[in-house]
Amino acid sequence: MTPHFFGFGSLVNTATHVYGNTRPARLEGWRRTWVRTPDRSMAFLSVMPAPGHVIEGLLAAVPNGDWAALDERETGYVRVDVTPQVAHDMAPAPQISLYQVPEESHDRNARDHKILLSYLDVVLRGYREVFGDAGVEAFMATTDGWDTPILNDRATPYYPRHQVMTPDEHALHDALIAEAGAQVLAGGE
């Protein structure tokens, strides 16, 4: 059977990749978090084991089990098998992996890392397209690390898979960010 990945960030936005046979799914026992590593100057979105927690995401097929292109895209992450922890509508169940920043790579003392707003916009658009407004709100509520400043790079996006957002999307995203108590910095800060 064709293996699948569980996307919990930008991979939920199907315009950022070519993988098909997508479907919503729920990952049990994990929680999203923004992490910092010495390998990048920007914060990564990752997941950590968290008993009792559930996050929504998107499953997509990896044809012929050819993970090479996805592994390259997800540089800095390791692939983790989460097959028994994913609730979905497929029978029989395929092998399912997600990409996680290894805990030993985290730099909890780093304070200069920022979340790219262009990246967060893409993630939130994907969640809204798949799960609706409730899904976007759930993403914010099931993600830790909103004390990490957000760099407003919308005018000159740094994220390579950025997308042009509508004014309504910006307004929704900005309201959710404010509600989460996150600090947004101007582009040059």
Side-chain angles (χ1 to χ4, degrees):
M1 176 166 240
T2 301
H4 284 61
F5 67 76
F6 178 85
F8 56 85
S10 63
L11 289 170
V12 172
N13 186 322
T14 58
T16 71
H17 60 80
V18 297
Y19 299 91
N21 192 26
T22 62
R23 59 188 9 96
R26 294 170 57 87
L27 177 65
E28 299 175 12
W30 294 76
R31 190 163 170 88
R32 269 182 303 269
T33 187
W34 293 100
V35 299
R36 302 165 179 102
T37 74
D39 300 329
R40 288 194 187 173
S41 59
M42 297 295 164
F44 283 73
L45 188 59
S46 189
V47 288
M48 298 288 293
H53 290 271
V54 175
I55 59 174
E56 294 178 317
L58 192 73
L59 292 179
V62 181
N64 303 314
D66 183 4
W67 292 93
L70 203 51
D71 287 348
E72 184 177 328
R73 169 189 163 137
E74 301 300 314
T75 299
Y77 292 84
V78 295
R79 208 168 349 116
V80 177
D81 187 331
V82 291
T83 303
Q85 296 167 296
V86 180
H88 53 78
D89 63 358
M90 289 185 282
Q95 185 274 323
I96 301 169
S97 294
L98 60 72
Y99 286 91
Q100 175 191 33
V101 177
E103 194 165 348
E104 61 271 12
S105 297
H106 296 195
D107 185 354
R108 289 171 178 77
N109 297 320
R111 293 290 168 234
D112 58 343
H113 289 68
K114 294 169 185 63
I115 298 166
L116 291 178
L117 186 53
S118 59
Y119 171 77
L120 183 55
D121 280 339
V122 166
V123 172
L124 294 175
R125 173 182 270 174
Y127 269 87
R128 190 173 192 202
E129 288 174 351
V130 176
F131 299 104
D133 287 346
V136 178
E137 292 170 10
F139 170 87
M140 297 297 288
T142 59
T143 303
D144 294 328
W146 295 115
D147 57 331
T148 304
I150 299 172
L151 178 66
N152 185 347
D153 66 330
R154 283 177 177 159
T156 309
Y158 295 125
Y159 181 57
R161 288 175 284 282
H162 73 275
Q163 298 167 0
V164 176
M165 300 287 151
T166 67
D168 287 344
E169 285 174 309
H170 280 166
L172 173 64
H173 300 175
D174 292 346
L176 291 167
I177 290 165
E179 190 175 302
Q183 175 189 14
V184 179
L185 305 174
E189 295 182 49

